[in-house]
Amino acid sequence: MAQLRAQWWYLLVLVLLWPAASHARQDPAVPAEQPQAETLPTTNGETAKKVSESAAPDSALTDGFALLDDLPTKNQIPFFENRFRIDSEVDTITLLMFRRPGSASVVLVRPDGSKLHFNTAEENKVRWHDAANYDLIEIDNPMPGPWQAIGRILPESRVMVLTDIKLDVDPLPDNLMVGETVKVTARILNGGAAINAREFSEVLMLEVIFISTNNADYDNFGRGIIQVATFRDDGRGFDERARDGVFTGEFKLDFVAGQWTPKYMVRTALYTRELEQDPLILKPAPITPQVELAATDTEPHQVVFKLTEQGVVADSLLIQGRIRYPDGNIDPFALNAQDNPDATLQVLNKGFGSYILETAVFGNWQNGREFMLTMPELSFVVNQQTFAAPELEQLPEQLLAERAAEQSEPIPEFPWGLVIGINLFILIAGSLAIWLIMSGKKPAALLFWRKSSASTTGAAKPAKAAGNSTKKATLPTKAQKNNDLDDILDLSLPDD
C-alpha cells in the first residue's frame, strides 16, 4: 500500500512539473525559418532575447556568448575539468554551461555533497534556464568551497561572479599594431575601493595573456595562447607603489597580427579573479622599409620608409634609430615627416658587409591617439663589387695581333715515342732489380760474356798447386822440430 501511495505521489508531482518543463524547453518542431524568441533572466533583473534552440548548434553557442554582454560583470572564476572554487566574498554566481547538443542538463554538486538539478532549482531558490545546448544558472549567496559540474560540458563554459572583490582593468586602445608598446593599469577593488594588499604575505601578481580567436580570416589562426607580460605589485619598474592593489606596467605586442582576446588573471591564497575583455584586432606595422643599394662605391645606400596604413597621420611620423655599419661603428639617425616628407634615409657606403638598422616609430592616428612602436630589426648585405673584363673588340690593336699570332702558331705534337721508350726502360730496369734481389746474385752476374775467360784461368791453377806441393812436404819436419823444442823449454806447471 505504501509503494502504491508513493507511485501516486510521483505521478502527481510529474503532472504538476510538466507544464513548467515544457515551457522551459523549446518545442523542437518550430521551423528554423521562424525562430521563436524567449526571454532569459539576468542578474540585474532585466530580460535578454534568445533565439530558439532549434537553430544550428553554432548559432546557439554564439547567442549564448552574447548573453555575457547583459551580465553585470565579466569577472570570472577559473573553470578547470568541470570544477571551480567559490570564495566567501561572492554574492552572486552566474554559470553559463555549454554542453553537447541533445545532452541532458548539467548537475551541480555543492561543497557539502548535495546536488542541484534543473527540476529542483525552484525549491532551492536557483534561477535555471535549460536550453538545448547550454544551461544558464544564477545562484545568490552560493556555498563557499569547491563545486563540481557533471555533464557533457564543453570547454567554452564560463563561471561569472558578482562580488565586492573585482578585477578592474582599463580597456586597451583601438587600432593596436604589431610592435607597439601599450600601457596597462589594473586594480583589485573591494566594494569599489582598491584593496590594501599589505595584509597578504606574498606580493600580488597580474598575468596578461592573449588568446587567439581562431578566426580563419586572420594570420593568427591556430596560434593558441601567448603569455604577454607579468606584473608585480612591488613598486618596481613601472609600478608606482608597492602592495597598493594597483598594477601599472607596459608590454610590447611583438607577436603576429590578427584577432586576439585579452585576458587578465590575479591569484592569491584567498581568491582568484579573471577578467576577459572584448576581442580586438592587432594590425601589422604601418610602415614598410625598402632598401635601395648604391650603384657605385661613392654613392650612399637608401632606405625608404613607406606608409601602408591609411589611418595614420603621415605628417606626425617621427622615425629614429641607429645604424650598425660593417666596420662596427654605430650612428644614430632621425627622420621628421616635415623635414623629410619622402621618409628616405641616406646610409653611408662603407664597403661590403652587413648593415643593421634598429628603428622606432612615433606618430598619431587620425582620432588623435598617439603610438610608439618598435620595428623589426632590418639588415641588408652589400657584396664585394666585381668588374667584368673588357670585351675582345675593345683591346688595343697590338694585343689583338699578339692574340691572333698565338692562335695561328701550330700546336706541337705529343712525343709518343719518347714516352714509350721511357716506360720500357723503367719496366726492364725494374724487372732486373727484382731478379737480383730475389736470386741473391751480384750485379756482376749480369756480365754473362765474361764467363768463358774465367774458365781458362781456372785450368792453370792446378799446375801451380802441383809445383808447390814439394815445398809443402818439407814443412812437417820443421814443425816437428819446433814442437820438440817447445817440449823441452816449457817449464811451466799446469794450473791443475
Side-chain angles (χ1 to χ4, degrees), residues 289-309:
Q290 296 181 357
V291 180
E292 298 178 2
L293 299 179
T296 62
D297 296 339
T298 58
E299 296 180 359
H301 306 293
Q302 292 184 355
V303 179
V304 181
F305 297 92
K306 291 188 176 181
L307 181 62
T308 58
E309 179 59 49

mmCIF file with all atom_site columns, all heavy atoms in Angstrom, residues 289-309:
data_model
loop_
_atom_site.group_PDB
_atom_site.id
_atom_site.type_symbol
_atom_site.label_atom_id
_atom_site.label_alt_id
_atom_site.label_comp_id
_atom_site.label_asym_id
_atom_site.label_entity_id
_atom_site.label_seq_id
_atom_site.pdbx_PDB_ins_code
_atom_site.Cartn_x
_atom_site.Cartn_y
_atom_site.Cartn_z
_atom_site.occupancy
_atom_site.B_iso_or_equiv
_atom_site.pdbx_formal_charge
_atom_site.auth_seq_id
_atom_site.auth_comp_id
_atom_site.auth_asym_id
_atom_site.auth_atom_id
_atom_site.pdbx_PDB_model_num
ATOM 1   N N   . PRO A 1 289 ? 59.826 49.248 -44.644 1.00 0.00 ? 289 PRO A N   1
ATOM 2   C CA  . PRO A 1 289 ? 61.089 49.781 -45.179 1.00 0.00 ? 289 PRO A CA  1
ATOM 3   C C   . PRO A 1 289 ? 61.518 49.027 -46.437 1.00 0.00 ? 289 PRO A C   1
ATOM 4   O O   . PRO A 1 289 ? 61.335 47.817 -46.548 1.00 0.00 ? 289 PRO A O   1
ATOM 5   C CB  . PRO A 1 289 ? 62.069 49.547 -44.028 1.00 0.00 ? 289 PRO A CB  1
ATOM 6   C CG  . PRO A 1 289 ? 61.515 48.373 -43.291 1.00 0.00 ? 289 PRO A CG  1
ATOM 7   C CD  . PRO A 1 289 ? 60.025 48.415 -43.449 1.00 0.00 ? 289 PRO A CD  1
ATOM 8   N N   . GLN A 1 290 ? 62.066 49.779 -47.392 1.00 0.00 ? 290 GLN A N   1
ATOM 9   C CA  . GLN A 1 290 ? 62.591 49.221 -48.632 1.00 0.00 ? 290 GLN A CA  1
ATOM 10  C C   . GLN A 1 290 ? 64.022 49.719 -48.826 1.00 0.00 ? 290 GLN A C   1
ATOM 11  O O   . GLN A 1 290 ? 64.289 50.911 -48.689 1.00 0.00 ? 290 GLN A O   1
ATOM 12  C CB  . GLN A 1 290 ? 61.716 49.605 -49.826 1.00 0.00 ? 290 GLN A CB  1
ATOM 13  C CG  . GLN A 1 290 ? 60.307 49.033 -49.761 1.00 0.00 ? 290 GLN A CG  1
ATOM 14  C CD  . GLN A 1 290 ? 59.478 49.404 -50.971 1.00 0.00 ? 290 GLN A CD  1
ATOM 15  O OE1 . GLN A 1 290 ? 59.933 50.141 -51.850 1.00 0.00 ? 290 GLN A OE1 1
ATOM 16  N NE2 . GLN A 1 290 ? 58.249 48.897 -51.039 1.00 0.00 ? 290 GLN A NE2 1
ATOM 17  N N   . VAL A 1 291 ? 64.919 48.802 -49.160 1.00 0.00 ? 291 VAL A N   1
ATOM 18  C CA  . VAL A 1 291 ? 66.357 49.110 -49.290 1.00 0.00 ? 291 VAL A CA  1
ATOM 19  C C   . VAL A 1 291 ? 66.705 49.249 -50.765 1.00 0.00 ? 291 VAL A C   1
ATOM 20  O O   . VAL A 1 291 ? 66.319 48.408 -51.589 1.00 0.00 ? 291 VAL A O   1
ATOM 21  C CB  . VAL A 1 291 ? 67.213 48.017 -48.628 1.00 0.00 ? 291 VAL A CB  1
ATOM 22  C CG1 . VAL A 1 291 ? 68.699 48.341 -48.766 1.00 0.00 ? 291 VAL A CG1 1
ATOM 23  C CG2 . VAL A 1 291 ? 66.835 47.860 -47.152 1.00 0.00 ? 291 VAL A CG2 1
ATOM 24  N N   . GLU A 1 292 ? 67.432 50.323 -51.096 1.00 0.00 ? 292 GLU A N   1
ATOM 25  C CA  . GLU A 1 292 ? 67.957 50.549 -52.450 1.00 0.00 ? 292 GLU A CA  1
ATOM 26  C C   . GLU A 1 292 ? 69.473 50.672 -52.357 1.00 0.00 ? 292 GLU A C   1
ATOM 27  O O   . GLU A 1 292 ? 69.996 51.640 -51.783 1.00 0.00 ? 292 GLU A O   1
ATOM 28  C CB  . GLU A 1 292 ? 67.349 51.820 -53.058 1.00 0.00 ? 292 GLU A CB  1
ATOM 29  C CG  . GLU A 1 292 ? 65.835 51.757 -53.211 1.00 0.00 ? 292 GLU A CG  1
ATOM 30  C CD  . GLU A 1 292 ? 65.246 53.042 -53.779 1.00 0.00 ? 292 GLU A CD  1
ATOM 31  O OE1 . GLU A 1 292 ? 66.073 53.959 -54.073 1.00 0.00 ? 292 GLU A OE1 1
ATOM 32  O OE2 . GLU A 1 292 ? 64.021 53.135 -53.918 1.00 0.00 ? 292 GLU A OE2 1
ATOM 33  N N   . LEU A 1 293 ? 70.194 49.678 -52.882 1.00 0.00 ? 293 LEU A N   1
ATOM 34  C CA  . LEU A 1 293 ? 71.653 49.654 -52.804 1.00 0.00 ? 293 LEU A CA  1
ATOM 35  C C   . LEU A 1 293 ? 72.254 50.635 -53.794 1.00 0.00 ? 293 LEU A C   1
ATOM 36  O O   . LEU A 1 293 ? 71.685 50.916 -54.863 1.00 0.00 ? 293 LEU A O   1
ATOM 37  C CB  . LEU A 1 293 ? 72.180 48.246 -53.067 1.00 0.00 ? 293 LEU A CB  1
ATOM 38  C CG  . LEU A 1 293 ? 71.714 47.155 -52.083 1.00 0.00 ? 293 LEU A CG  1
ATOM 39  C CD1 . LEU A 1 293 ? 72.300 45.817 -52.474 1.00 0.00 ? 293 LEU A CD1 1
ATOM 40  C CD2 . LEU A 1 293 ? 72.093 47.513 -50.661 1.00 0.00 ? 293 LEU A CD2 1
ATOM 41  N N   . ALA A 1 294 ? 73.424 51.154 -53.441 1.00 0.00 ? 294 ALA A N   1
ATOM 42  C CA  . ALA A 1 294 ? 74.113 52.118 -54.302 1.00 0.00 ? 294 ALA A CA  1
ATOM 43  C C   . ALA A 1 294 ? 74.702 51.412 -55.510 1.00 0.00 ? 294 ALA A C   1
ATOM 44  O O   . ALA A 1 294 ? 75.105 50.241 -55.449 1.00 0.00 ? 294 ALA A O   1
ATOM 45  C CB  . ALA A 1 294 ? 75.210 52.829 -53.519 1.00 0.00 ? 294 ALA A CB  1
ATOM 46  N N   . ALA A 1 295 ? 74.793 52.164 -56.610 1.00 0.00 ? 295 ALA A N   1
ATOM 47  C CA  . ALA A 1 295 ? 75.338 51.594 -57.845 1.00 0.00 ? 295 ALA A CA  1
ATOM 48  C C   . ALA A 1 295 ? 76.857 51.649 -57.876 1.00 0.00 ? 295 ALA A C   1
ATOM 49  O O   . ALA A 1 295 ? 77.493 50.806 -58.518 1.00 0.00 ? 295 ALA A O   1
ATOM 50  C CB  . ALA A 1 295 ? 74.761 52.337 -59.057 1.00 0.00 ? 295 ALA A CB  1
ATOM 51  N N   . THR A 1 296 ? 77.455 52.617 -57.173 1.00 0.00 ? 296 THR A N   1
ATOM 52  C CA  . THR A 1 296 ? 78.912 52.761 -57.151 1.00 0.00 ? 296 THR A CA  1
ATOM 53  C C   . THR A 1 296 ? 79.394 52.836 -55.713 1.00 0.00 ? 296 THR A C   1
ATOM 54  O O   . THR A 1 296 ? 78.595 52.914 -54.770 1.00 0.00 ? 296 THR A O   1
ATOM 55  C CB  . THR A 1 296 ? 79.334 54.024 -57.915 1.00 0.00 ? 296 THR A CB  1
ATOM 56  O OG1 . THR A 1 296 ? 78.761 55.180 -57.260 1.00 0.00 ? 296 THR A OG1 1
ATOM 57  C CG2 . THR A 1 296 ? 78.844 53.968 -59.363 1.00 0.00 ? 296 THR A CG2 1
ATOM 58  N N   . ASP A 1 297 ? 80.720 52.838 -55.547 1.00 0.00 ? 297 ASP A N   1
ATOM 59  C CA  . ASP A 1 297 ? 81.307 52.890 -54.207 1.00 0.00 ? 297 ASP A CA  1
ATOM 60  C C   . ASP A 1 297 ? 81.171 54.260 -53.562 1.00 0.00 ? 297 ASP A C   1
ATOM 61  O O   . ASP A 1 297 ? 81.249 54.377 -52.336 1.00 0.00 ? 297 ASP A O   1
ATOM 62  C CB  . ASP A 1 297 ? 82.787 52.497 -54.260 1.00 0.00 ? 297 ASP A CB  1
ATOM 63  C CG  . ASP A 1 297 ? 82.977 51.060 -54.698 1.00 0.00 ? 297 ASP A CG  1
ATOM 64  O OD1 . ASP A 1 297 ? 82.017 50.288 -54.559 1.00 0.00 ? 297 ASP A OD1 1
ATOM 65  O OD2 . ASP A 1 297 ? 84.083 50.716 -55.181 1.00 0.00 ? 297 ASP A OD2 1
ATOM 66  N N   . THR A 1 298 ? 80.976 55.283 -54.346 1.00 0.00 ? 298 THR A N   1
ATOM 67  C CA  . THR A 1 298 ? 80.926 56.647 -53.807 1.00 0.00 ? 298 THR A CA  1
ATOM 68  C C   . THR A 1 298 ? 79.511 57.077 -53.429 1.00 0.00 ? 298 THR A C   1
ATOM 69  O O   . THR A 1 298 ? 79.342 57.985 -52.616 1.00 0.00 ? 298 THR A O   1
ATOM 70  C CB  . THR A 1 298 ? 81.508 57.619 -54.828 1.00 0.00 ? 298 THR A CB  1
ATOM 71  O OG1 . THR A 1 298 ? 80.771 57.510 -56.054 1.00 0.00 ? 298 THR A OG1 1
ATOM 72  C CG2 . THR A 1 298 ? 82.983 57.295 -55.093 1.00 0.00 ? 298 THR A CG2 1
ATOM 73  N N   . GLU A 1 299 ? 78.498 56.434 -53.978 1.00 0.00 ? 299 GLU A N   1
ATOM 74  C CA  . GLU A 1 299 ? 77.122 56.826 -53.701 1.00 0.00 ? 299 GLU A CA  1
ATOM 75  C C   . GLU A 1 299 ? 76.628 56.154 -52.414 1.00 0.00 ? 299 GLU A C   1
ATOM 76  O O   . GLU A 1 299 ? 77.044 55.034 -52.086 1.00 0.00 ? 299 GLU A O   1
ATOM 77  C CB  . GLU A 1 299 ? 76.208 56.423 -54.867 1.00 0.00 ? 299 GLU A CB  1
ATOM 78  C CG  . GLU A 1 299 ? 76.532 57.128 -56.168 1.00 0.00 ? 299 GLU A CG  1
ATOM 79  C CD  . GLU A 1 299 ? 75.609 56.689 -57.288 1.00 0.00 ? 299 GLU A CD  1
ATOM 80  O OE1 . GLU A 1 299 ? 74.737 55.822 -57.008 1.00 0.00 ? 299 GLU A OE1 1
ATOM 81  O OE2 . GLU A 1 299 ? 75.742 57.186 -58.417 1.00 0.00 ? 299 GLU A OE2 1
ATOM 82  N N   . PRO A 1 300 ? 75.724 56.794 -51.652 1.00 0.00 ? 300 PRO A N   1
ATOM 83  C CA  . PRO A 1 300 ? 75.184 56.186 -50.427 1.00 0.00 ? 300 PRO A CA  1
ATOM 84  C C   . PRO A 1 300 ? 74.031 55.221 -50.742 1.00 0.00 ? 300 PRO A C   1
ATOM 85  O O   . PRO A 1 300 ? 73.371 55.316 -51.778 1.00 0.00 ? 300 PRO A O   1
ATOM 86  C CB  . PRO A 1 300 ? 74.693 57.392 -49.622 1.00 0.00 ? 300 PRO A CB  1
ATOM 87  C CG  . PRO A 1 300 ? 74.312 58.386 -50.667 1.00 0.00 ? 300 PRO A CG  1
ATOM 88  C CD  . PRO A 1 300 ? 75.276 58.200 -51.818 1.00 0.00 ? 300 PRO A CD  1
ATOM 89  N N   . HIS A 1 301 ? 73.793 54.305 -49.807 1.00 0.00 ? 301 HIS A N   1
ATOM 90  C CA  . HIS A 1 301 ? 72.605 53.446 -49.892 1.00 0.00 ? 301 HIS A CA  1
ATOM 91  C C   . HIS A 1 301 ? 71.389 54.219 -49.378 1.00 0.00 ? 301 HIS A C   1
ATOM 92  O O   . HIS A 1 301 ? 71.521 55.193 -48.624 1.00 0.00 ? 301 HIS A O   1
ATOM 93  C CB  . HIS A 1 301 ? 72.812 52.174 -49.072 1.00 0.00 ? 301 HIS A CB  1
ATOM 94  C CG  . HIS A 1 301 ? 74.057 51.419 -49.427 1.00 0.00 ? 301 HIS A CG  1
ATOM 95  N ND1 . HIS A 1 301 ? 74.232 50.790 -50.635 1.00 0.00 ? 301 HIS A ND1 1
ATOM 96  C CD2 . HIS A 1 301 ? 75.198 51.216 -48.718 1.00 0.00 ? 301 HIS A CD2 1
ATOM 97  C CE1 . HIS A 1 301 ? 75.415 50.212 -50.662 1.00 0.00 ? 301 HIS A CE1 1
ATOM 98  N NE2 . HIS A 1 301 ? 76.023 50.456 -49.504 1.00 0.00 ? 301 HIS A NE2 1
ATOM 99  N N   . GLN A 1 302 ? 70.208 53.774 -49.760 1.00 0.00 ? 302 GLN A N   1
ATOM 100 C CA  . GLN A 1 302 ? 68.981 54.447 -49.350 1.00 0.00 ? 302 GLN A CA  1
ATOM 101 C C   . GLN A 1 302 ? 67.990 53.435 -48.769 1.00 0.00 ? 302 GLN A C   1
ATOM 102 O O   . GLN A 1 302 ? 67.869 52.318 -49.276 1.00 0.00 ? 302 GLN A O   1
ATOM 103 C CB  . GLN A 1 302 ? 68.338 55.170 -50.543 1.00 0.00 ? 302 GLN A CB  1
ATOM 104 C CG  . GLN A 1 302 ? 69.129 56.351 -51.068 1.00 0.00 ? 302 GLN A CG  1
ATOM 105 C CD  . GLN A 1 302 ? 68.403 57.076 -52.180 1.00 0.00 ? 302 GLN A CD  1
ATOM 106 O OE1 . GLN A 1 302 ? 67.343 56.645 -52.628 1.00 0.00 ? 302 GLN A OE1 1
ATOM 107 N NE2 . GLN A 1 302 ? 68.959 58.200 -52.609 1.00 0.00 ? 302 GLN A NE2 1
ATOM 108 N N   . VAL A 1 303 ? 67.309 53.867 -47.689 1.00 0.00 ? 303 VAL A N   1
ATOM 109 C CA  . VAL A 1 303 ? 66.235 53.092 -47.073 1.00 0.00 ? 303 VAL A CA  1
ATOM 110 C C   . VAL A 1 303 ? 64.995 53.979 -47.078 1.00 0.00 ? 303 VAL A C   1
ATOM 111 O O   . VAL A 1 303 ? 64.980 55.037 -46.438 1.00 0.00 ? 303 VAL A O   1
ATOM 112 C CB  . VAL A 1 303 ? 66.588 52.644 -45.647 1.00 0.00 ? 303 VAL A CB  1
ATOM 113 C CG1 . VAL A 1 303 ? 65.421 51.859 -45.041 1.00 0.00 ? 303 VAL A CG1 1
ATOM 114 C CG2 . VAL A 1 303 ? 67.848 51.805 -45.644 1.00 0.00 ? 303 VAL A CG2 1
ATOM 115 N N   . VAL A 1 304 ? 63.958 53.548 -47.783 1.00 0.00 ? 304 VAL A N   1
ATOM 116 C CA  . VAL A 1 304 ? 62.728 54.321 -47.925 1.00 0.00 ? 304 VAL A CA  1
ATOM 117 C C   . VAL A 1 304 ? 61.660 53.686 -47.032 1.00 0.00 ? 304 VAL A C   1
ATOM 118 O O   . VAL A 1 304 ? 61.365 52.491 -47.159 1.00 0.00 ? 304 VAL A O   1
ATOM 119 C CB  . VAL A 1 304 ? 62.257 54.360 -49.393 1.00 0.00 ? 304 VAL A CB  1
ATOM 120 C CG1 . VAL A 1 304 ? 60.995 55.187 -49.520 1.00 0.00 ? 304 VAL A CG1 1
ATOM 121 C CG2 . VAL A 1 304 ? 63.362 54.900 -50.294 1.00 0.00 ? 304 VAL A CG2 1
ATOM 122 N N   . PHE A 1 305 ? 61.097 54.487 -46.119 1.00 0.00 ? 305 PHE A N   1
ATOM 123 C CA  . PHE A 1 305 ? 60.038 54.035 -45.219 1.00 0.00 ? 305 PHE A CA  1
ATOM 124 C C   . PHE A 1 305 ? 58.691 54.444 -45.821 1.00 0.00 ? 305 PHE A C   1
ATOM 125 O O   . PHE A 1 305 ? 58.347 55.628 -45.832 1.00 0.00 ? 305 PHE A O   1
ATOM 126 C CB  . PHE A 1 305 ? 60.213 54.649 -43.821 1.00 0.00 ? 305 PHE A CB  1
ATOM 127 C CG  . PHE A 1 305 ? 61.485 54.233 -43.143 1.00 0.00 ? 305 PHE A CG  1
ATOM 128 C CD1 . PHE A 1 305 ? 62.633 55.004 -43.269 1.00 0.00 ? 305 PHE A CD1 1
ATOM 129 C CD2 . PHE A 1 305 ? 61.538 53.077 -42.392 1.00 0.00 ? 305 PHE A CD2 1
ATOM 130 C CE1 . PHE A 1 305 ? 63.805 54.625 -42.644 1.00 0.00 ? 305 PHE A CE1 1
ATOM 131 C CE2 . PHE A 1 305 ? 62.707 52.691 -41.763 1.00 0.00 ? 305 PHE A CE2 1
ATOM 132 C CZ  . PHE A 1 305 ? 63.849 53.466 -41.888 1.00 0.00 ? 305 PHE A CZ  1
ATOM 133 N N   . LYS A 1 306 ? 57.947 53.444 -46.267 1.00 0.00 ? 306 LYS A N   1
ATOM 134 C CA  . LYS A 1 306 ? 56.670 53.711 -46.918 1.00 0.00 ? 306 LYS A CA  1
ATOM 135 C C   . LYS A 1 306 ? 55.534 53.470 -45.939 1.00 0.00 ? 306 LYS A C   1
ATOM 136 O O   . LYS A 1 306 ? 55.486 52.452 -45.254 1.00 0.00 ? 306 LYS A O   1
ATOM 137 C CB  . LYS A 1 306 ? 56.493 52.817 -48.151 1.00 0.00 ? 306 LYS A CB  1
ATOM 138 C CG  . LYS A 1 306 ? 57.446 53.171 -49.285 1.00 0.00 ? 306 LYS A CG  1
ATOM 139 C CD  . LYS A 1 306 ? 57.106 52.399 -50.554 1.00 0.00 ? 306 LYS A CD  1
ATOM 140 C CE  . LYS A 1 306 ? 57.999 52.836 -51.707 1.00 0.00 ? 306 LYS A CE  1
ATOM 141 N NZ  . LYS A 1 306 ? 57.654 52.105 -52.964 1.00 0.00 ? 306 LYS A NZ  1
ATOM 142 N N   . LEU A 1 307 ? 54.594 54.420 -45.888 1.00 0.00 ? 307 LEU A N   1
ATOM 143 C CA  . LEU A 1 307 ? 53.428 54.330 -45.022 1.00 0.00 ? 307 LEU A CA  1
ATOM 144 C C   . LEU A 1 307 ? 52.377 53.449 -45.681 1.00 0.00 ? 307 LEU A C   1
ATOM 145 O O   . LEU A 1 307 ? 51.942 53.734 -46.803 1.00 0.00 ? 307 LEU A O   1
ATOM 146 C CB  . LEU A 1 307 ? 52.870 55.727 -44.737 1.00 0.00 ? 307 LEU A CB  1
ATOM 147 C CG  . LEU A 1 307 ? 51.652 55.805 -43.813 1.00 0.00 ? 307 LEU A CG  1
ATOM 148 C CD1 . LEU A 1 307 ? 51.984 55.282 -42.424 1.00 0.00 ? 307 LEU A CD1 1
ATOM 149 C CD2 . LEU A 1 307 ? 51.142 57.244 -43.736 1.00 0.00 ? 307 LEU A CD2 1
ATOM 150 N N   . THR A 1 308 ? 51.953 52.385 -44.988 1.00 0.00 ? 308 THR A N   1
ATOM 151 C CA  . THR A 1 308 ? 50.972 51.443 -45.535 1.00 0.00 ? 308 THR A CA  1
ATOM 152 C C   . THR A 1 308 ? 49.621 51.500 -44.830 1.00 0.00 ? 308 THR A C   1
ATOM 153 O O   . THR A 1 308 ? 48.684 50.841 -45.267 1.00 0.00 ? 308 THR A O   1
ATOM 154 C CB  . THR A 1 308 ? 51.522 50.009 -45.439 1.00 0.00 ? 308 THR A CB  1
ATOM 155 O OG1 . THR A 1 308 ? 51.831 49.711 -44.073 1.00 0.00 ? 308 THR A OG1 1
ATOM 156 C CG2 . THR A 1 308 ? 52.778 49.848 -46.279 1.00 0.00 ? 308 THR A CG2 1
ATOM 157 N N   . GLU A 1 309 ? 49.492 52.252 -43.751 1.00 0.00 ? 309 GLU A N   1
ATOM 158 C CA  . GLU A 1 309 ? 48.241 52.358 -43.006 1.00 0.00 ? 309 GLU A CA  1
ATOM 159 C C   . GLU A 1 309 ? 47.620 53.739 -43.253 1.00 0.00 ? 309 GLU A C   1
ATOM 160 O O   . GLU A 1 309 ? 48.245 54.765 -42.936 1.00 0.00 ? 309 GLU A O   1
ATOM 161 C CB  . GLU A 1 309 ? 48.496 52.148 -41.515 1.00 0.00 ? 309 GLU A CB  1
ATOM 162 C CG  . GLU A 1 309 ? 47.265 52.270 -40.640 1.00 0.00 ? 309 GLU A CG  1
ATOM 163 C CD  . GLU A 1 309 ? 46.171 51.288 -40.999 1.00 0.00 ? 309 GLU A CD  1
ATOM 164 O OE1 . GLU A 1 309 ? 46.481 50.089 -41.142 1.00 0.00 ? 309 GLU A OE1 1
ATOM 165 O OE2 . GLU A 1 309 ? 45.015 51.721 -41.153 1.00 0.00 ? 309 GLU A OE2 1
#
